[in-house]
Amino acid sequence: MVEGEIAGGLAVRARGVRHSYVRGREDLRGVDLDVAPGELVAVIGENGSGKTTLARHLNALLALQAGSLTVAGLDTADPARVWELRRACGMVFQNPENQLVSSVVGEDVAFGPRNFGADEGQARAAARRALGEVGLAGFERRDAHTLSGGQQQRVALAAVLACEPDVVVLDEATSMIDPRGRDELTRAVEAFRCERGATVIWITHDMELAARADRVVVMCAGEVAASGAPADVLVDEALLSRAGLEAPLAVRTWRALEDAGVVAPSAPGACPVTTEGLVRALCG
Ligand SMILES: Nc1ncnc2c1ncn2[C@@H]1O[C@H](COP(=O)(O)OP(=O)(O)O)[C@@H](O)[C@H]1O
Ligand SMILES: [Mg+2]
């Protein structure tokens, strides 16, 4: 915690983070980002805007090339702290199958804690608790390959949670699973945030999901183009269009109703960003 205080008590503090995969091209062009502990930040941006590159820097899967980056109070450029960092900042990626280290669910989820030094009993207890948190209590003996994509993503999330992370990064974790799987994963994230108060960085193309975040960060061409409350960022269609994105359905519907004269043009901040918000605005 002492180090966390040195980093201003922030879960993530990025300053001028740059990355080039090939000489002469900048894929991250100086990212500044602060994330408070317990915050749920949605990161949106078109393909190639640098979201995954930023995510990979958060737990030092990529070596820092320029700038400074502190995650859970740990300097990502410090090679001596890489293991601590990987425990403190867990990732769930797009493809559920690629993330399994064991086909037995309980083994897969206990792998992390064991790897980070827990004894057998602690690792099993951590796995049991994490599986319960993602709605998969009693799945320890199941073959992961027989589960749905959504269940596999929750196993991947449980494997992260079993390591008691401070920060959880989901990189397009719902893009390969069906709507039911997406809803189940979303509920699991809500549940563990309540339970553990962990910070969540959710990279997504799902605007409904982004609309429910505490904050939305828009990435464009390797930079943070905007950061703010969903109600401010997701109604800015000019900004979203520049970033290659489309506003949430509720925003587009509301604008069309304004244009058709069905509703009065809304004051700034009055445009709904979620489906429920749209229903409230129309019926209230
Ligand atoms: N392993 C890699 N080697 C070379 N270029 C890469 C690699 N990974 C990503 N890039 C490039 O870096 C840029 C940012 O990619 P990425 O971070 O994956 O964006 P996003 O996750 O927003 O789609 C893109 O131009 C992409 O082609
Ligand atoms: Mg990506």
Side-chain angles (χ1 to χ4, degrees):
M1 272 300 100
V2 172
E3 279 171 293
E5 283 157 22
I6 291 167
L10 293 165
V12 174
R13 183 180 186 280
R15 289 292 178 277
V17 173
R18 296 174 177 275
H19 191 89
S20 297
Y21 288 101
V22 291
R23 193 191 291 270
R25 195 187 72 200
E26 276 207 306
D27 299 296
L28 285 184
R29 301 193 301 161
V31 170
D32 295 336
L33 180 67
D34 286 348
V35 181
E39 209 180 1
L40 194 168
V41 174
V43 178
I44 59 175
E46 67 182 337
N47 289 342
S49 59
K51 305 180 299 296
T52 294
T53 304
L54 178 61
R56 294 171 81 82
H57 273 291
L58 294 175
N59 73 357
L61 290 171
L62 289 172
L64 199 64
Q65 297 176 345
S68 68
L69 180 58
T70 310
V71 177
L74 300 164
D75 179 355
T76 64
D78 182 352
R81 312 301 288 275
V82 166
W83 281 106
E84 256 176 284
L85 178 66
R86 300 252 164 98
R87 189 206 55 73
C89 177
M91 307 247 172
V92 179
F93 293 103
Q94 190 167 17
N95 189 331
E97 290 192 329
N98 287 354
Q99 300 172 78
L100 297 168
V101 292
S102 167
S103 59
V104 181
V105 169
E107 292 300 308
D108 186 77
V109 179
F111 177 83
R114 241 180 233 142
N115 218 15
F116 291 120
D119 68 31
E120 199 45 39
Q122 291 168 329
R124 282 184 195 282
R128 196 177 321 113
R129 176 182 171 202
L131 282 168
E133 276 177 292
V134 301
L136 295 175
F139 273 58
E140 279 88 343
R141 313 278 293 264
R142 295 280 290 270
D143 178 350
H145 296 104
T146 66
L147 304 181
S148 69
Q151 289 172 326
Q152 287 176 345
Q153 281 301 62
R154 282 186 286 145
V155 171
L157 178 60
V160 165
L161 295 181
C163 301
E164 311 220 336
D166 297 286
V167 179
V168 176
V169 181
L170 299 118
D171 189 357
E172 297 196 31
T174 59
S175 63
M176 288 177 71
I177 58 181
D178 59 24
R180 186 204 282 181
R182 177 199 61 205
D183 291 346
E184 288 166 351
L185 189 72
T186 307
R187 274 200 298 279
V189 170
E190 278 163 6
F192 87 72
R193 281 188 74 213
C194 272
E195 183 78 10
R196 298 178 185 244
T199 307
V200 177
I201 298 179
W202 197 320
I203 297 170
T204 184
H205 283 296
D206 184 335
M207 287 297 177
E208 280 281 322
L209 224 158
R212 287 161 216 282
D214 296 326
R215 185 153 58 96
V216 177
V217 167
V218 182
M219 293 281 299
C220 183
E223 289 175 319
V224 173
S227 165
D232 296 324
V233 173
L234 298 180
V235 299
D236 189 340
E237 288 177 287
L239 162 78
L240 295 174
S241 162
R242 279 199 303 281
L245 299 167
E246 197 176 43
L249 181 62
V251 173
R252 288 179 282 134
T253 305
W254 187 257
R255 297 293 185 222
L257 292 171
E258 283 177 346
D259 291 345
V262 178
V263 299
S266 49
C271 176
V273 292
T274 62
T275 305
E276 297 89 83
L278 178 65
V279 170
R280 263 198 311 277
L282 288 174
C283 304

